[in-house]
């Protein structure tokens, strides 16, 4: 479900969420009794788990409803049982441009 050009943005949001949770639960343990803080942590985790049921990604089936689009099904069938058909390629440097850069130095 991750679009390769935006993996850095996704990693940033996930990392920031982890830091936010650490600060929030740290403050919870500082301000509350230990048992209450654990109840808060457990309740938050259970609630976020239930929220995953309503996540909807365009073109893909949800956990409890919907169906995959034809495009998603065909992409899955292309990569099933083997390496992905489309991989990112490292661009080759343009020889003419590289020569011009070397001449300028």
């Amino acid at each position: 479900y991750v679009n390769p050009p935006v993996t850095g943005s996704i990693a940033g949001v996930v990392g920031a969420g982890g830091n936010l949770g650490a600060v929030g639960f740290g403050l919870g343990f500082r301000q509350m009794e230990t048992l209450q803080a654990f109840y808060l942590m457990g309740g938050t985790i259970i609630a976020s788990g239930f929220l995953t049921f309503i996540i909807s990604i365009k073109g893909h089936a949800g956990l409890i409803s919907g169906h995959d689009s034809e495009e998603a099904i065909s992409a899955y069938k292309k990569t099933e049982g083997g390496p992905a058909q489309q991989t990112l390629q490292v661009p080759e440097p343009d020889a003419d441009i590289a020569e011009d850069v070397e001449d300028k130095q």
Side-chain angles (χ1 to χ4, degrees), residues 93-104:
D94 188 3
D96 295 332
I97 294 174
E99 209 172 277
D100 290 342
V101 169
E102 288 177 7
D103 290 340
K104 288 180 182 179

